[in-house]
Amino acid sequence: QVELVESGGGLVQAGGSLRLSCAASGTIFSRNDLGWYRQAPGKQRDLVAAITSGGSTDYADSVKGRFTISRDNDKDTVYLQMNTLKPEDTAVYYCNMKEDLGLRIGVLDYWGQGAQVTVSS
């Protein structure tokens, strides 16, 4: 059974930093593409950062230069380092994993339980 467990959320003042972690189990982690999404109250869930199995990364314009996504395939964990946080970064952050099981089954999406990040002004 595939499971994603997040940790590292919390309350921080504007300009501060937080690091989110997401540990996976029950999957061949190194083969999977990973991402971090966030959802603020009353808004849709949006992609914040993504990293492929090969290590290529992509970021939403709003976090470029401030957030860094990384992965440790030995620990089956993906990270999101968030620096220079702003009040508008306040949201629940979800890690996402895409497991490609081939053409017959397709790609399966898995989600972490969510981590609250609150940035005070």
Side-chain angles (χ1 to χ4, degrees):
Q1 182 178 356
V2 177
E3 188 175 20
L4 300 177
V5 178
E6 299 182 34
S7 60
L11 173 64
V12 64
Q13 287 189 331
S17 298
L18 282 174
R19 189 176 81 155
L20 301 179
S21 301
C22 177
S25 60
T27 183
I28 304 175
F29 182 81
S30 61
R31 296 182 181 178
N32 301 332
D33 294 343
L34 304 160
W36 287 95
Y37 290 70
R38 67 186 180 188
Q39 187 168 21
K43 295 189 177 181
Q44 66 180 21
R45 189 176 297 186
D46 292 324
L47 179 65
V48 173
I51 185 166
T52 68
S53 58
S56 299
T57 59
D58 194 20
Y59 297 91
D61 287 342
S62 60
V63 306
K64 282 181 181 177
R66 300 189 297 123
F67 290 12
T68 302
I69 187 171
S70 61
R71 63 190 297 162
D72 185 336
N73 289 337
D74 291 333
K75 296 182 178 179
D76 290 354
T77 301
V78 59
Y79 304 96
L80 185 67
Q81 178 66 44
M82 304 182 290
N83 298 329
T84 320
L85 282 160
K86 305 176 181 179
E88 51 263 44
D89 294 319
T90 295
V92 178
Y93 284 70
Y94 297 91
C95 65
N96 170 263
M97 183 175 69
K98 299 188 184 303
E99 186 177 46
D100 189 346
L101 296 179
L103 292 176
R104 186 176 296 274
I105 298 176
V107 177
L108 300 183
D109 265 311
Y110 297 95
W111 295 92
Q113 81 277 16
Q116 177 69 48
V117 172
T118 302
V119 184
S120 62
S121 57

